[in-house]
Amino acid sequence: MVAGTIAHLQYPVGPLQPEPYSEEGASREVRFSVVMLGSPEQMPRILEELREGADFEEVSMRYSTDRRVLDRKADMGFHRWGQAAPMYAPVAEKAFSLGPGEIAGPMHVADGHFLVKVTDVRPLDFKNERRKVEKALAAARDSSCLAAFLAPAG
């Protein structure tokens, strides 16, 4: 089974510099899976398995040491640009630089050593996004009006 293209692989693990913001990133969502290790010792073995065609998700379930990754079966779901927690933003930002099936890493980020594989990319529906923003703004306005109405007269 082909696991995808291994792109941007390098060793040894070093700190990852975040990708610069791109307007292009704001127009899509990226779904990705990860392998997360507490230390980099097993990374060469994992990389070799992936080069030989091992399934990324199966490899992640065998080697990942983080319960959050294991609970999600390596699938981190769809992310929008800037949506990831700040400490894991470099992983998501790296995913935005890849195409479906591509794998990047290893990366030392926050509390782990990561490989990331993009599994899907989809465009954002801006009409739907506009409705969500308008709804959120209306709710905030209504909440503010209610708070002002309920405030004691002074």
Side-chain angles (χ1 to χ4, degrees), residues 3 11 30-31 48 56 65 71 102 107 113 117 125 139-141 148:
Y11 206 80
V30 175
R31 184 176 192 168
E48 185 58 33
F56 188 91
T65 56
D71 288 346
E102 289 186 313
M107 302 171 258
H113 300 269
K117 177 183 179 184
D125 175 358
R141 182 196 64 229

mmCIF file of all heavy atoms in Angstrom, residues 3 11 30-31 48 56 65 71 102 107 113 117 125 139-141 148:
data_model
loop_
_atom_site.group_PDB
_atom_site.id
_atom_site.type_symbol
_atom_site.label_atom_id
_atom_site.label_comp_id
_atom_site.label_asym_id
_atom_site.label_seq_id
_atom_site.Cartn_x
_atom_site.Cartn_y
_atom_site.Cartn_z
ATOM 1 N N ALA A 3 1.653 4.923 0.943
ATOM 2 C CA ALA A 3 1.224 5.828 2.001
ATOM 3 C C ALA A 3 1.188 7.265 1.541
ATOM 4 O O ALA A 3 0.650 8.110 2.210
ATOM 5 C CB ALA A 3 2.149 5.697 3.206
ATOM 6 N N TYR A 11 16.516 14.902 8.693
ATOM 7 C CA TYR A 11 16.916 14.411 10.011
ATOM 8 C C TYR A 11 18.283 14.966 10.278
ATOM 9 O O TYR A 11 19.051 15.101 9.359
ATOM 10 C CB TYR A 11 16.929 12.872 10.018
ATOM 11 C CG TYR A 11 16.718 12.328 11.400
ATOM 12 C CD1 TYR A 11 15.452 12.249 11.941
ATOM 13 C CD2 TYR A 11 17.801 11.965 12.170
ATOM 14 C CE1 TYR A 11 15.276 11.782 13.216
ATOM 15 C CE2 TYR A 11 17.630 11.497 13.444
ATOM 16 C CZ TYR A 11 16.368 11.404 13.965
ATOM 17 O OH TYR A 11 16.194 10.943 15.231
ATOM 18 N N VAL A 30 -7.700 22.176 5.703
ATOM 19 C CA VAL A 30 -6.797 21.057 5.460
ATOM 20 C C VAL A 30 -7.019 20.019 6.557
ATOM 21 O O VAL A 30 -7.043 20.341 7.743
ATOM 22 C CB VAL A 30 -5.321 21.536 5.466
ATOM 23 C CG1 VAL A 30 -4.376 20.362 5.329
ATOM 24 C CG2 VAL A 30 -5.094 22.535 4.346
ATOM 25 N N ARG A 31 -7.203 18.779 6.135
ATOM 26 C CA ARG A 31 -7.339 17.662 7.082
ATOM 27 C C ARG A 31 -6.009 16.926 7.098
ATOM 28 O O ARG A 31 -5.437 16.631 6.042
ATOM 29 C CB ARG A 31 -8.447 16.724 6.626
ATOM 30 C CG ARG A 31 -8.708 15.598 7.594
ATOM 31 C CD ARG A 31 -9.879 14.774 7.138
ATOM 32 N NE ARG A 31 -10.309 13.885 8.182
ATOM 33 C CZ ARG A 31 -11.440 13.209 8.151
ATOM 34 N NH1 ARG A 31 -12.248 13.314 7.108
ATOM 35 N NH2 ARG A 31 -11.751 12.416 9.143
ATOM 36 N N GLU A 48 11.667 5.004 7.658
ATOM 37 C CA GLU A 48 11.987 3.883 6.771
ATOM 38 C C GLU A 48 10.724 3.092 6.435
ATOM 39 O O GLU A 48 10.500 2.719 5.279
ATOM 40 C CB GLU A 48 13.048 2.978 7.403
ATOM 41 C CG GLU A 48 13.521 1.869 6.492
ATOM 42 C CD GLU A 48 14.117 2.383 5.179
ATOM 43 O OE1 GLU A 48 14.740 3.465 5.162
ATOM 44 O OE2 GLU A 48 13.956 1.689 4.153
ATOM 45 N N PHE A 56 0.310 5.284 6.848
ATOM 46 C CA PHE A 56 0.646 6.336 7.818
ATOM 47 C C PHE A 56 -0.161 6.194 9.100
ATOM 48 O O PHE A 56 0.387 6.274 10.205
ATOM 49 C CB PHE A 56 0.408 7.711 7.182
ATOM 50 C CG PHE A 56 0.904 8.847 8.038
ATOM 51 C CD1 PHE A 56 2.199 9.320 7.886
ATOM 52 C CD2 PHE A 56 0.083 9.449 8.980
ATOM 53 C CE1 PHE A 56 2.674 10.371 8.666
ATOM 54 C CE2 PHE A 56 0.540 10.500 9.757
ATOM 55 C CZ PHE A 56 1.839 10.956 9.604
ATOM 56 N N THR A 65 2.914 8.312 20.934
ATOM 57 C CA THR A 65 2.918 8.175 22.392
ATOM 58 C C THR A 65 1.934 9.111 23.080
ATOM 59 O O THR A 65 1.825 9.090 24.296
ATOM 60 C CB THR A 65 4.336 8.452 22.947
ATOM 61 O OG1 THR A 65 4.756 9.748 22.522
ATOM 62 C CG2 THR A 65 5.324 7.405 22.463
ATOM 63 N N ASP A 71 -6.393 8.480 20.598
ATOM 64 C CA ASP A 71 -7.853 8.536 20.713
ATOM 65 C C ASP A 71 -8.516 8.938 19.401
ATOM 66 O O ASP A 71 -9.631 8.530 19.110
ATOM 67 C CB ASP A 71 -8.282 9.514 21.811
ATOM 68 C CG ASP A 71 -7.993 8.988 23.212
ATOM 69 O OD1 ASP A 71 -7.705 7.780 23.359
ATOM 70 O OD2 ASP A 71 -8.040 9.800 24.163
ATOM 71 N N GLU A 102 0.782 14.019 0.833
ATOM 72 C CA GLU A 102 2.166 14.371 1.150
ATOM 73 C C GLU A 102 2.412 14.291 2.655
ATOM 74 O O GLU A 102 1.535 14.589 3.463
ATOM 75 C CB GLU A 102 2.512 15.765 0.649
ATOM 76 C CG GLU A 102 2.625 15.851 -0.850
ATOM 77 C CD GLU A 102 3.100 17.204 -1.310
ATOM 78 O OE1 GLU A 102 2.568 18.226 -0.836
ATOM 79 O OE2 GLU A 102 4.025 17.231 -2.140
ATOM 80 N N MET A 107 9.436 17.132 12.796
ATOM 81 C CA MET A 107 9.445 18.483 13.355
ATOM 82 C C MET A 107 9.406 18.368 14.871
ATOM 83 O O MET A 107 8.638 17.577 15.394
ATOM 84 C CB MET A 107 8.184 19.239 12.919
ATOM 85 C CG MET A 107 7.973 19.365 11.453
ATOM 86 S SD MET A 107 6.327 20.045 11.131
ATOM 87 C CE MET A 107 5.455 18.561 10.665
ATOM 88 N N HIS A 113 7.660 15.288 18.861
ATOM 89 C CA HIS A 113 8.322 15.190 17.561
ATOM 90 C C HIS A 113 7.278 14.641 16.600
ATOM 91 O O HIS A 113 6.693 13.586 16.846
ATOM 92 C CB HIS A 113 9.540 14.272 17.656
ATOM 93 C CG HIS A 113 10.534 14.778 18.651
ATOM 94 N ND1 HIS A 113 11.559 15.614 18.309
ATOM 95 C CD2 HIS A 113 10.612 14.603 19.993
ATOM 96 C CE1 HIS A 113 12.255 15.917 19.387
ATOM 97 N NE2 HIS A 113 11.696 15.325 20.423
ATOM 98 N N LYS A 117 0.771 14.247 7.790
ATOM 99 C CA LYS A 117 0.331 13.810 6.460
ATOM 100 C C LYS A 117 -1.004 14.484 6.155
ATOM 101 O O LYS A 117 -1.957 14.372 6.927
ATOM 102 C CB LYS A 117 0.143 12.300 6.399
ATOM 103 C CG LYS A 117 -0.381 11.843 5.041
ATOM 104 C CD LYS A 117 -0.643 10.356 5.007
ATOM 105 C CE LYS A 117 -1.198 9.966 3.636
ATOM 106 N NZ LYS A 117 -1.549 8.541 3.619
ATOM 107 N N ASP A 125 -16.510 27.547 1.815
ATOM 108 C CA ASP A 125 -17.691 28.118 1.181
ATOM 109 C C ASP A 125 -17.911 29.490 1.805
ATOM 110 O O ASP A 125 -18.388 29.603 2.932
ATOM 111 C CB ASP A 125 -18.892 27.202 1.416
ATOM 112 C CG ASP A 125 -20.195 27.769 0.890
ATOM 113 O OD1 ASP A 125 -20.209 28.907 0.364
ATOM 114 O OD2 ASP A 125 -21.212 27.072 1.005
ATOM 115 N N ALA A 139 -25.601 37.794 17.433
ATOM 116 C CA ALA A 139 -25.683 37.280 18.807
ATOM 117 C C ALA A 139 -24.918 38.184 19.765
ATOM 118 O O ALA A 139 -25.389 38.459 20.879
ATOM 119 C CB ALA A 139 -25.144 35.848 18.861
ATOM 120 N N ALA A 140 -23.768 38.659 19.364
ATOM 121 C CA ALA A 140 -22.983 39.565 20.212
ATOM 122 C C ALA A 140 -23.724 40.877 20.421
ATOM 123 O O ALA A 140 -23.769 41.413 21.535
ATOM 124 C CB ALA A 140 -21.611 39.811 19.595
ATOM 125 N N ARG A 141 -24.330 41.396 19.363
ATOM 126 C CA ARG A 141 -25.106 42.642 19.466
ATOM 127 C C ARG A 141 -26.299 42.450 20.391
ATOM 128 O O ARG A 141 -26.566 43.261 21.272
ATOM 129 C CB ARG A 141 -25.576 43.090 18.084
ATOM 130 C CG ARG A 141 -26.349 44.408 18.103
ATOM 131 C CD ARG A 141 -27.124 44.658 16.824
ATOM 132 N NE ARG A 141 -28.147 43.623 16.693
ATOM 133 C CZ ARG A 141 -28.365 42.898 15.596
ATOM 134 N NH1 ARG A 141 -27.642 43.085 14.526
ATOM 135 N NH2 ARG A 141 -29.304 41.985 15.562
ATOM 136 N N ALA A 148 -27.184 45.797 28.487
ATOM 137 C CA ALA A 148 -27.457 47.225 28.738
ATOM 138 C C ALA A 148 -28.860 47.411 29.305
ATOM 139 O O ALA A 148 -29.082 48.230 30.219
ATOM 140 C CB ALA A 148 -27.308 48.019 27.444
#
